[in-house]
Amino acid sequence: MKNELFTWCRKGDYQRANFDSFLKAVKFKFDIPSVHIAGTNGKGSTAHFLEMSYIAAGYKVGSFCSPYLYEINELIKVDNVAISDEVFSNLYKEYEKQFKKFNLSEFEIQTFVAFMYFIESKCDICFIECGMGGELDATNIFTPILSVITSVGLEHTAYLGKTLAEIAYSKSGIIKDEIPVVVGKLNEEAEMAIVTIANSRLTKVHKVVEPANLVQTNEGYNFSYEVYQNITVNNLAEYIVDDACIALECINFLKERFPISIENIQEGFASKTLDARFSINSKDNHIIIDGAHNPDGTYKLAKTINSKYPDANFHIVFACFRDKNLERMLANLGEITSKIVLTSFPHERCRTEDDYFLFLGEYTYNSDPVETVKSLREEFPDDYVLVTGSLAFAAYMFNLLK
């Protein structure tokens, strides 16, 4: 997709009032049965497990997930195939005058194009991932058949709130009257906030339970979840099992309207997981790439590393965006190792050496992340290198190192 389509709107602020006025002007209506997924982490993997399972069952499945890793087209898929440049461009041009008239942001345009594409494609079911928060998110423009909140952590505090409760209230904005809500493992403060909103909207919160018979395999895990037996996920990250359980809890609520067999579920969950989620380099299994991009993500990543590699020596190559809580992320990763190299990569939001100035007394900085990884592997052949800090950085490195 040619990013020039969005050049004019990249510097504008997201104003929900503008988007609402636009939707009213174009008489927007979206009635495809859809699941709305919010959460600090786990949204993408949860949506992916659901998407692949219902594709295996023969449904036409739409998915809108952000951010993308390699190409902007990845945001919008039908049956796991990204929207083509031609279709995206045609839908964009059809509404271009209105986009500019109402001064829409890039994400609002992408969201609208996704919904129109799903309508045009006559999808049977869609899985829609929030971009940020919930209540004011651009995706919060329809009534879902199920709402999902995967996790709540301290992220985007300038927009969503300073406490877990405030952030949970924001994410709870996707909860609609009498529509059931599935939640992942939450801290008590966040859970109470979500339950309060759910009660006010005459619906209930359904919490994910622990999996049974959990066994680690060479490639990932095998487990059972309530009536769903012998489920395999091919990823060694412990947090992937949590996401898989959320997806299975969702299937519990969808199965009457969208019947699906255990074989379809097993096939969908065993499919290749998303890149940059605890991805082990195919040529060098001592290089691990993970897109943890906030304190909650780095905490879960550190937990997985310390569980899977208790006796291994690690080096971390780290890059993140300027709006992230760098101090807390580094503190979490410090539970793995103190050997952390800060770096940068080609992205307008990425921290540069100057942005790391408060931390340069404690950590090394190297502007070339690829050369850093290669040097570490040559100098310490028995050690592991973890590349993390941002999904965009993980995608950048995933391509260059494979």
Side-chain angles (χ1 to χ4, degrees):
M1 173 61 57
K2 293 182 179 180
N3 288 332
E4 297 88 85
L5 286 178
F6 301 104
T7 301
W8 64 270
C9 66
R10 283 228 164 89
K11 295 181 181 179
D13 290 332
Y14 167 56
Q15 297 292 338
R16 181 55 192 257
N18 292 348
F19 196 33
D20 289 341
S21 296
F22 163 80
L23 294 173
K24 184 177 181 180
V26 299
K27 299 180 181 179
F28 173 76
K29 182 181 179 182
F30 185 75
D31 54 12
I32 296 174
S34 299
V35 176
H36 204 182
I37 306 173
T40 303
N41 290 298
K43 300 186 296 293
S45 293
T46 298
H48 178 73
F49 287 129
L50 290 166
E51 176 189 9
M52 299 309 293
S53 296
Y54 284 96
I55 289 173
Y59 296 100
K60 178 168 279 193
V61 180
S63 67
F64 181 62
C65 296
S66 63
Y68 63 89
L69 289 181
Y70 310 115
E71 298 288 342
I72 196 171
N73 308 59
E74 298 166 31
L75 296 173
I76 306 166
K77 295 181 179 180
V78 170
D79 287 347
N80 200 35
V81 177
I83 187 172
S84 69
D85 286 0
E86 180 182 7
V87 172
F88 195 113
S89 182
N90 288 342
L91 283 168
Y92 176 91
K93 289 175 181 177
E94 183 178 348
Y95 294 93
E96 184 174 10
K97 289 183 179 179
Q98 292 98 319
F99 291 157
K100 293 183 176 180
K101 176 183 177 181
F102 290 94
N103 195 31
L104 297 193
S105 68
E106 183 177 359
F107 187 66
E108 289 168 317
I109 294 169
Q110 293 162 354
T111 299
F112 179 75
V113 168
F115 280 62
M116 299 312 293
Y117 182 51
F118 299 150
I119 293 170
E120 183 181 281
S121 301
K122 299 180 180 178
C123 292
D124 297 312
I125 186 171
C126 296
F127 299 99
I128 311 293
E129 180 185 328
C130 285
M132 180 178 70
E135 182 177 10
L136 298 178
D137 192 77
T139 62
N140 197 22
I141 55 176
F142 70 105
T143 299
I145 58 175
L146 179 66
S147 300
V148 184
I149 300 175
T150 58
S151 62
V152 176
L154 290 171
E155 187 185 30
H156 302 301
T157 53
Y159 303 97
L160 306 182
K162 302 296 185 183
T163 67
L164 288 177
E166 289 174 344
I167 292 172
Y169 277 123
S170 176
K171 295 185 185 301
S172 297
I174 68 169
I175 299 174
K176 304 298 189 295
D177 290 349
E178 300 182 10
I179 302 298
V181 185
V182 168
V183 300
K185 297 176 181 177
L186 301 177
N187 131 306
E188 184 178 355
E189 181 183 2
E191 185 179 319
M192 286 286 291
I194 292 169
V195 168
T196 298
I197 296 297
N199 288 341
S200 72
R201 293 173 186 166
L202 305 178
T203 190
K204 292 183 178 181
V205 171
H206 302 270
K207 296 190 292 185
V208 167
V209 300
E210 292 293 328
N213 308 316
L214 180 64
V215 176
Q216 183 177 333
T217 67
N218 290 334
E219 302 295 330
Y221 298 90
N222 185 273
F223 64 96
S224 299
Y225 184 86
E226 295 188 330
V227 299
Y228 306 107
Q229 305 293 311
N230 193 30
I231 303 297
T232 295
V233 292
N234 291 312
N235 190 296
L236 287 169
E238 292 180 358
Y239 62 77
I240 290 290
V241 177
D242 294 337
D243 300 341
C245 289
I246 296 170
L248 289 165
E249 188 66 30
C250 292
I251 288 173
N252 270 336
F253 286 92
L254 300 173
K255 61 186 179 184
E256 289 189 13
R257 187 166 180 177
F258 294 94
I260 186 170
S261 70
I262 185 61
E263 291 79 15
N264 298 147
I265 296 169
Q266 289 167 337
E267 179 181 344
F269 280 62
S271 64
K272 181 181 180 294
T273 55
L274 298 173
D275 289 344
R277 274 73 170 181
F278 209 80
S279 299
I280 297 174
N281 187 275
S282 59
K283 292 185 177 180
D284 183 348
N285 64 10
H286 278 227
I287 299 174
I288 299 171
I289 301 175
D290 189 276
H293 56 280
N294 51 47
D296 184 59
T298 51
Y299 170 79
K300 291 177 179 177
L301 174 58
K303 183 180 176 184
T304 291
I305 291 286
N306 288 329
S307 172
K308 297 291 169 293
Y309 303 91
D311 301 317
N313 292 318
F314 268 83
H315 304 261
I316 296 175
V317 179
F318 178 94
C320 73
F321 289 163
R322 294 186 187 92
D323 61 341
K324 299 299 180 178
N325 190 329
L326 175 61
E327 184 174 9
R328 290 197 61 188
M329 292 173 72
L330 291 176
N332 288 338
L333 295 173
E335 296 297 319
I336 302 171
T337 179
S338 62
K339 294 171 283 190
I340 300 176
V341 179
L342 306 177
T343 188
S344 305
F345 68 105
H347 196 289
E348 60 187 9
R349 292 171 57 198
C350 182
R351 289 180 187 263
T352 62
E353 183 174 9
D354 289 343
D355 297 308
Y356 289 118
F357 74 97
L358 290 175
F359 301 87
L360 296 181
E362 186 174 357
Y363 304 103
T364 302
Y365 177 84
N366 189 317
S367 62
D368 188 335
V370 175
E371 182 57 36
T372 300
V373 171
K374 291 180 178 178
S375 295
L376 288 170
R377 288 297 298 123
E378 289 173 3
E379 186 175 355
F380 306 100
D382 296 326
D383 293 359
Y384 287 80
V385 176
L386 171 64
V387 176
T388 191
S390 159
L391 267 174
F393 177 51
Y396 173 78
M397 296 295 284
F398 189 88
N399 260 346
L400 292 177
L401 292 174
K402 69 182 179 181

